[in-house]
Each structure stands twice: as structure tokens, then as C-alpha cells.
Amino acid sequence: MKQPAARLLFGAVTIAVVLGSLELLARLALVLLANDERFDFTPVAERFEEQTRQLGEILARHDRLLALDDELGWVYAPHATSDLHSTNSRGLRGKREYAPRPPPGVARVAAFGDSFVFGIDVRDDEAWSAQAERMEPRVEVLNYGVGGYGTDQALLLYRRRGHELAPQLVVLGFPEADLARNVNRYRRFLGTRDLPLFKPRFELDEHGELSVIPNPFPGEAGARRVFEDARLALEAGARDELFEPLVWRNPLYDRSGLVRVASTIASRAWLSRLRPDRFYRGDEMSRDSQAFAVLVAIVRAFTREVESAGADFALVIFPIRDEDIWGSGRRGYAPLVEALPGIAVLDLADALRADPEVTPESLRTSGGHYSPVASRAAGRALLGLLRERGLL
């Protein structure tokens, strides 16, 4: 009896030593990988604390630009002003006001999309929409861009407001970041440091038609519920393609460095490389993913609804990877363009590449969005599209 007991004791001690060693190595890995943008090892308790703090600031309206919205999640408030940004009486970018209908001889464009459309890192007069207006006085560009939006929210915003000022051309801006946003319901599942904002999303029904999944925590009332009970945010994980239950619902995640490292890396690997309907195959968008199917359906719906209102439509692609602008291979979003035959696409990569002042160093601001130089090239490309469509 003593010999088996000794073996058991020895085995238990060995396992404890191995686990302890692995735990120490994991703690070291947490330090070494702390600045690696591919992974986020932030403890869940700390994530909830930050969520509550930021929700408190949003509810207190510290950010005068951002306003919570029952349907869309958030919008930009009218008459907002900061060091870089301002909005007019309708919440559009800049202080310029627009008549209900464009003056004779003026081509009016309505631009929908996210922070690249809005021009989040540049001043009002440096945004691509304002630069287009300055280069061509016969053009008005109504900038409905809202930071953090997916193309799903852009479509819903168009349905609400796209007809109010009678545009002749409606453009939907698309950077590749929006691919994931379209299947996301809570921004902090997409990026832990993002604002704690909830949104609707579309799914495809059995007939391949878009079906809205509503905002899980609408408006200020919804935000206040999560402010008072932080873990309620996890309810948004249902039907959110970016939700990582191995991280967010793991009772050991905050207790063990080994569990934290293993869970985070496993979740990242599943989302980016192992999941059958992952967003990318190699460097290109995957045609097999739900996100891709939803995106294509949104663009087609946008096109139909704009054209049924008597306006022209164009998808404007804002490339964000250097290789898509200056590389010699296929662009990562090429499958999207190929999936939209008959729909006008303005790929800004061509305009950016052709502009001698736009380089990999001058393309972006420190915040990662288009610089004034790149925005000018985008504005010039929009004017070229207007001429091609016979609107100038």
C-alpha cells in the first residue's frame, strides 16, 4: 500500500510543479505580449470597470458629439463643436447648412458610412467632403458619416434620413473594418478599448433577405441598465460573431495567467484561422463567410433603395492597407467588387496611388485615418465620379 501511495504523491507533486511552472511562464508571456496588438489579455473584471466608467461619461454627455439612439445605437448630435469637428443643425459634418433642395446647376451628394467618411482625424475643412466642395463650387457633399458605424447602421440611417435633402448621388463609404462590424452587436467584443456602445445588425433569413436584429440595449435607458449591472453586456453576445465566450464567460480567466493566455490565443485562432466561415481566406475576404454575405446583401439593398428614390448610387472603397494601394497583387476586397456586378464602385486606391503627394508615410494621421493629403485625393476622385455619371 505504501508504494502506490508514494507513486500517487509523487505524481501529484510532479503535476503541481509542472502547472506551477506553466503558470509562471504564462505570467511572463503576459508581460512580454502586453503590447502585441493581436491579443488582448485584459482581465474581464477590469474590462467591466472600464465599461462602467465610460458608460457613466456617455450618460453624462461629456462627449457632446455622440448621442445615444434607440435604433442605431448612436448618432452625431446637431450643433456639436470640438477642436477638430463640428456638426450643423442636422448633425452633418461641418457648420455649413444646406437648403432642402440643391440650387440649379449644383450636384448634391449624400455620403454615408463610418469615421473614414466623416474624416474623424482631420478638421472640418480638411475632410474629403469639404475639400471636394472647395475644389468644385457646383458640388455639395452632405457628410452623414458616423464614427464606428458598420454598413448596416449606414443603411438604417439612410432609410431614416437619406431623402430629406434630395441628393442626386448617394455614396456608401466602405473600409474593410466594416466587414466585422456588420456581424457585431457590442463594440467592445470587437475591440476591448472601444467605446461601450451597442448596435443593431442584419442577418439573412431563409430567403436570403436582410432581417434586422435590434439594438440589444436601446438608447439611454438601455445604457443605464448596463451601467448599473455591467455583466448584462454579455447578453449582447447572442448572435454576435465577435463574441468570445472562452474569454468573457470563463470563471478562471482572471484567476490564472495560464488560462488567460491559452483562452485568448485559442479564441483569436478560432476567429481568424480555424472557424469555417472566418472573414478572410489568406489575404482576401472570404466569400464563404456570413459577414461577406451580409455585406453584399446590404450593398445591394442600398443600391435598390437609392435608385428607387430616383438617385444614383456608388460604393466608395476606402483602402486601409498599404499593399492594397501600392502592392502589385490582388486587393483584399477584390471578392467584394466581383460580387457586385452592375453596381458602381469607386476604389480610392487608384486615386491615392496616382497622387504623388500621397505616400505610405503621408496617407494616415496618427489616429490611423486619412490625412488631409489623402482626403484631398479622395475628394478629387469623387468629383471625377460625378463627371463620369454626368452629374457635373
Side-chain angles (χ1 to χ4, degrees), residues 22-23 26-27 30 252-262:
L22 290 174
E23 179 69 21
R27 297 281 177 175
L30 289 173
L252 298 178
Y253 190 83
D254 289 6
R255 297 175 179 271
S256 166
L258 179 59
V259 170
R260 199 186 311 171
V261 170

Side-chain angles (χ1 to χ4, degrees), residues 150-196:
T151 50
D152 47 8
Q153 291 162 292
L155 175 58
L156 293 171
L157 182 60
Y158 170 76
R159 289 174 175 175
R160 181 190 294 185
R161 303 189 56 193
H163 311 287
E164 64 187 3
L165 293 172
Q168 295 137 304
L169 173 67
V170 175
V171 302
L172 170 63
F174 174 77
E176 280 190 73
D178 292 358
L179 178 67
R181 291 174 182 173
N182 290 339
V183 290
N184 170 240
R185 300 181 73 202
Y186 182 37
R187 291 282 306 176
R188 287 173 71 86
F189 295 154
L190 183 62
T192 304
R193 301 303 177 188
D194 284 358
L195 288 175

Side-chain angles (χ1 to χ4, degrees), residues 36-50:
D36 192 320
E37 295 182 355
R38 295 173 300 172
F39 306 109
D40 189 340
F41 301 106
T42 307
V44 173
E46 185 178 322
R47 300 182 192 203
F48 283 138
E49 290 172 4
E50 178 69 5

Side-chain angles (χ1 to χ4, degrees), residues 64-65 67 76-80 87-92:
R64 297 297 178 182
L65 179 65
Y76 281 163
H79 297 303
T87 58
N88 69 7
S89 62
R90 297 177 182 269
L92 305 183

Side-chain angles (χ1 to χ4, degrees), residues 63-385:
D63 183 348
R64 297 297 178 182
L65 179 65
L66 184 75
L68 297 176
D69 184 88
D70 286 359
E71 178 194 21
L72 299 171
W74 62 97
V75 294
Y76 281 163
H79 297 303
T81 303
S82 71
D83 292 341
L84 286 179
H85 320 125
S86 61
T87 58
N88 69 7
S89 62
R90 297 177 182 269
L92 305 183
R93 178 70 191 268
K95 295 180 179 179
R96 180 175 178 178
E97 299 290 346
Y98 299 92
R101 301 192 66 82
V106 170
R108 177 171 286 180
V109 182
F112 291 82
D114 68 354
S115 53
F116 278 85
V117 172
F118 184 78
I120 200 73
D121 288 338
V122 297
R123 299 193 309 265
D124 290 341
D125 63 330
E126 295 171 330
W128 71 298
S129 50
Q131 295 209 52
E133 290 183 336
R134 193 161 58 251
M135 286 186 280
E136 175 51 80
R138 296 176 297 163
V139 169
E140 294 178 344
V141 186
L142 286 56
N143 190 330
Y144 287 87
V146 179
Y149 263 25
T151 50
D152 47 8
Q153 291 162 292
L155 175 58
L156 293 171
L157 182 60
Y158 170 76
R159 289 174 175 175
R160 181 190 294 185
R161 303 189 56 193
H163 311 287
E164 64 187 3
L165 293 172
Q168 295 137 304
L169 173 67
V170 175
V171 302
L172 170 63
F174 174 77
E176 280 190 73
D178 292 358
L179 178 67
R181 291 174 182 173
N182 290 339
V183 290
N184 170 240
R185 300 181 73 202
Y186 182 37
R187 291 282 306 176
R188 287 173 71 86
F189 295 154
L190 183 62
T192 304
R193 301 303 177 188
D194 284 358
L195 288 175
L197 298 171
F198 300 90
K199 63 180 284 292
R201 60 157 292 196
F202 286 111
E203 281 186 335
L204 297 178
D205 62 21
E206 62 272 18
H207 305 294
E209 298 296 323
L210 292 171
S211 175
V212 178
I213 304 172
N215 178 2
F217 294 100
E220 291 195 12
R224 192 163 297 281
R225 288 178 58 207
V226 180
F227 174 74
E228 294 170 352
D229 183 354
R231 295 191 66 84
L232 280 179
L234 299 183
E235 294 180 7
R239 298 155 89 179
D240 186 319
E241 295 293 306
L242 281 301
F243 181 57
E244 299 174 279
L246 197 58
V247 173
W248 288 92
R249 293 192 182 276
N250 190 336
L252 298 178
Y253 190 83
D254 289 6
R255 297 175 179 271
S256 166
L258 179 59
V259 170
R260 199 186 311 171
V261 170
S263 298
T264 301
I265 292 177
S267 291
R268 289 287 94 189
W270 170 255
L271 286 173
S272 62
R273 298 186 179 276
L274 302 178
R275 192 171 66 174
D277 69 337
R278 58 191 178 271
F279 300 156
Y280 287 84
R281 301 278 179 177
D283 293 328
E284 291 187 7
M285 291 182 179
S286 171
R287 295 177 176 86
D288 302 324
S289 72
Q290 179 186 167
F292 186 84
V294 169
L295 172 60
V296 170
I298 289 172
V299 176
R300 288 174 176 166
F302 225 128
T303 306
R304 288 194 305 269
E305 294 178 26
V306 169
E307 292 179 347
S308 68
D312 288 347
F313 173 83
L315 177 70
V316 179
I317 295 178
F318 287 76
I320 55 180
R321 296 187 292 183
D322 286 358
E323 55 267 33
D324 286 333
I325 302 172
W326 292 283
S328 57
R330 276 170 57 87
R331 292 164 181 167
Y333 45 81
L336 174 63
V337 178
E338 294 164 355
L340 299 170
I343 294 177
V345 176
L346 173 60
D347 186 349
L348 293 179
D350 300 319
L352 294 169
R353 184 170 183 163
D355 191 320
E357 293 189 38
V358 179
T359 66
E361 293 73 31
S362 68
L363 174 67
R364 303 175 187 86
T365 66
S366 58
H369 295 84
Y370 281 7
S371 67
V373 171
S375 297
R376 186 189 63 228
R380 187 180 294 117
L382 176 65
L383 297 180
L385 175 66

